[in-house]
Amino acid sequence: MTDAILRQVLRRERTPLYVFDLAALPRRAEFLRSHLPAGTGLCYAVKANPFLLPGLAGSVERLEICSPGELAICRRAGLDPKTFVLSGVHKDPGALGELVAQGEIGCYTAESMTQFSALYGAAVAARRPVSLLLRLTSGNQFGMDEGEVRWILSHYGADPWLDIRGIQYFSGTQKASAKRLARELAMLDRFLASLPRPVEELEYGPGFPVAYFPEDAFDERAFLDAFADGLRGLAFRGRVTLELGRSLAAGCGTYLTRVVDVKENHGARYAILDGGSHQVTYYGQAMAMRRPPVRPLSPRDGEARPWTLCGSLCTIHDVLAKALPLGGLEIGDVLAFDQAGAYAMTEGMALFLSRDLPGVVLVDGQGRAQLARDHLPTDPLNTPNGQKEWNLWND
């Protein structure tokens, strides 16, 4: 995304604003595929950024959906439900029954024995076979342990109402160690070989890293090539699908925020922005401790001096960057934060102070811009309106 395009967008839209480059998404997907073994599938985690679905849907084989809201978004976008894998640690049994009866969703994950029982019961009741991925835990609240997965395959692997496609595994994000990924692949390979029945697919969330800060820079091509060697070395010969969010989405987004005040306190220069840390976040909430990829769209000449960039929240923690060397800042200047394509628009404290949500602009490869979401007031969500009243003593 060039600064010229961003300046053109700002002629029509006010800050704070997210601008997403849809044309970057298929290029990113193709770059990843070029460094992976042929036939490796890609699954996009919708939670990373639902606004990117128009640009990504044709570049990945599967979309991971983790809530009823995300399912509604994908349906409104007109996407093929057969590409959906419905995940998440909380699945409402009643809603599951309705979905299974409709027979539209391509695949479900079973996060627990409770979820497995609900899905199996829904399949039997609807007399519709259901496709499953059994989620293997990585030692936390997600998924099931090895014994439970083996038990399900032993007792239900041939059941006519179940198509147990394989295993889903995810153990974290920002995993920059190729050796760690190699160990995980070796563990999964051993586990798959130990199953009482063979499965046809491994859906794996490798948590590929994104270099948000300069000191995090790494040779991504070499990293991906080493990972691909690990995939090729698997004894498992079924399909491998990689579940990705941050790695696909981060680089396509820019967050724009405007300087609304400048001041100097005890010799320190501060710029107050109309956005803040509730609207742009980087992994680890480390923005105030490290230097994010930010630049002024119209840099000023002069001696570079340290500036602290603060958002508009009433908390001393709303700091986006410290000691940022700039030639100068004035009210009205716009700052652009790169690598804002994943999670920034969904992960922050959006309701704090009841400020408007930023607008969202999508730019395609032909230079056409579309306002995908106008600036959205949040004060109605925080207004006490007495929708219901009841007498506790009469319950």
Side-chain angles (χ1 to χ4, degrees):
M1 186 77 67
T2 67
D3 287 1
I5 290 176
L6 295 175
R7 285 192 287 267
Q8 287 180 333
V9 170
L10 286 170
R11 292 175 185 170
R12 291 179 177 262
E13 293 299 324
R14 62 184 173 91
T15 56
L17 191 69
Y18 301 111
V19 184
F20 300 128
D21 181 3
L22 295 185
L25 298 168
R27 293 197 302 267
R28 177 62 182 172
E30 183 56 35
F31 170 79
L32 291 171
R33 290 188 193 278
S34 70
H35 289 273
L36 296 170
T40 305
L42 296 181
C43 173
Y44 176 60
V46 174
K47 60 181 175 288
N49 186 345
F51 288 102
L52 303 185
L53 290 170
L56 258 177
S59 299
V60 297
E61 286 79 14
R62 185 177 286 166
L63 299 170
E64 187 198 44
I65 296 169
C66 291
S67 73
E70 289 183 353
L71 178 59
I73 291 169
C74 291
R75 281 176 161 170
R76 283 195 292 268
L79 302 174
D80 181 4
K82 293 300 182 186
T83 66
F84 301 169
V85 54
L86 192 65
S87 296
V89 294
H90 171 51
K91 297 183 179 77
D92 178 76
L96 276 183
E98 294 177 7
L99 290 171
V100 171
Q102 292 165 4
E104 296 178 345
I105 304 299
C107 188
Y108 298 81
T109 65
E111 281 268 355
S112 66
M113 294 299 292
T114 302
Q115 283 193 6
F116 172 77
S117 297
L119 285 161
Y120 180 66
V124 172
R127 303 193 67 79
R128 282 184 179 274
V130 65
S131 295
L132 291 183
L133 291 171
L134 305 179
R135 182 163 184 179
L136 176 67
T137 187
S138 58
N140 46 42
Q141 74 268 38
F142 301 107
M144 299 177 283
D145 65 30
E146 295 83 350
E148 290 174 322
V149 172
R150 291 192 183 99
W151 187 89
I152 290 173
L153 285 167
S154 294
H155 290 77
Y156 291 89
D159 193 287
W161 300 114
L162 296 177
D163 171 22
I164 302 178
R165 293 185 183 179
I167 305 301
Q168 184 190 60
Y169 184 81
F170 178 79
S171 66
T173 191
Q174 291 292 81
K175 292 186 285 191
S177 170
K179 291 183 178 179
R180 176 184 173 182
L181 292 177
R183 289 193 298 270
E184 285 190 353
L185 286 174
M187 178 276 294
L188 290 168
D189 204 23
R190 291 191 300 271
F191 177 70
L192 290 164
S194 75
L195 295 176
R197 299 180 65 92
V199 294
E200 63 186 60
E201 181 176 357
L202 168 64
E203 183 179 292
Y204 175 45
F208 288 157
V210 170
Y212 285 120
F213 306 99
E215 58 268 32
D216 294 337
F218 67 105
D219 186 341
E220 187 177 26
R221 293 176 184 272
F223 178 86
L224 291 173
D225 289 343
F227 177 76
D229 287 341
L231 290 181
R232 295 187 188 96
L234 294 176
F236 176 69
R237 286 295 173 257
R239 179 173 178 79
V240 176
T241 300
L242 302 182
E243 184 265 308
L244 301 170
R246 195 183 307 271
S247 182
L248 279 167
C252 81
T254 305
Y255 172 73
L256 302 177
T257 178
R258 192 179 300 272
V259 177
V260 294
D261 201 357
V262 292
K263 60 176 72 175
E264 186 170 325
N265 288 343
H266 293 220
R269 296 174 184 81
Y270 293 91
I272 308 300
L273 311 177
D274 61 1
S277 59
H278 59 315
Q279 295 172 354
V280 58
T281 59
Y282 288 102
Y283 178 78
Q285 307 295 311
M287 293 185 67
M289 295 176 284
R290 305 168 75 183
R291 185 170 298 166
V294 56
R295 66 190 186 283
L297 280 188
S298 299
R300 299 182 180 278
D301 295 330
E303 179 185 356
R305 296 183 178 182
W307 285 81
T308 295
L309 307 181
C310 300
S312 50
L313 301 181
C314 294
T315 167
I316 62 172
H317 301 295
D318 191 15
V319 178
L320 282 74
K322 287 183 177 179
L324 187 70
L326 296 170
L329 281 180
E330 296 182 9
I331 294 174
D333 288 352
V334 174
L335 292 157
F337 289 79
D338 292 324
Q339 297 280 48
Y343 295 107
M345 73 303 306
T346 56
E347 210 174 43
M349 302 179 294
L351 299 184
F352 190 36
L353 288 195
S354 300
R355 294 193 178 276
D356 290 357
L357 294 179
V360 175
V361 171
L362 307 178
V363 179
D364 66 16
Q366 285 70 49
R368 294 173 298 204
Q370 176 191 43
L371 183 64
R373 183 186 75 193
D374 206 346
H375 294 260
L376 187 66
T378 65
D379 57 278
L381 300 175
N382 290 340
T383 299
N385 56 18
Q387 292 185 30
K388 293 182 180 180
E389 292 184 8
W390 65 96
N391 189 325
L392 295 174
W393 304 119
N394 291 337
D395 282 354

